[in-house]
Amino acid sequence: MKVYSLSGIQVRLLFRGRLDPGEHEIFWDGRREDGSSLPSGIYLCRLEREGSPGSGGAIKMTLLK
């Protein structure tokens, strides 16, 4: 699960690995990989199945500060 800016730059990797089927929660604190804060704006969260590029989907998120 990765977070991208609208310009397509990856700003954070939230999760890598496998999960059992069912509901899961993953929280994002609005920070980049290096811990610096990102500005308010719209970001995309993309979930991709490992080994199957293009198999997942994306959602739009609004970060408000």
Side-chain angles (χ1 to χ4, degrees):
M1 180 176 282
K2 299 175 184 177
V3 178
Y4 293 89
S5 66
L6 282 181
S7 60
I9 298 170
Q10 182 182 325
V11 294
R12 185 80 186 261
L13 173 65
L14 294 178
F15 181 81
R16 175 180 283 170
R18 293 184 178 264
L19 293 170
D20 291 331
E23 291 187 25
H24 302 279
E25 288 185 12
I26 297 177
F27 294 94
W28 175 47
D29 59 4
R31 297 183 185 273
R32 291 183 172 94
E33 289 291 339
D34 65 6
S36 61
S37 251
L38 285 161
S40 294
I42 298 173
Y43 295 87
L44 299 173
C45 182
R46 179 144 177 83
L47 178 63
E48 215 171 72
R49 197 176 328 179
E50 196 172 351
S52 300
S55 62
I59 60 167
K60 207 184 300 186
M61 303 184 298
T62 303
L63 176 62
L64 298 174
K65 293 189 172 193

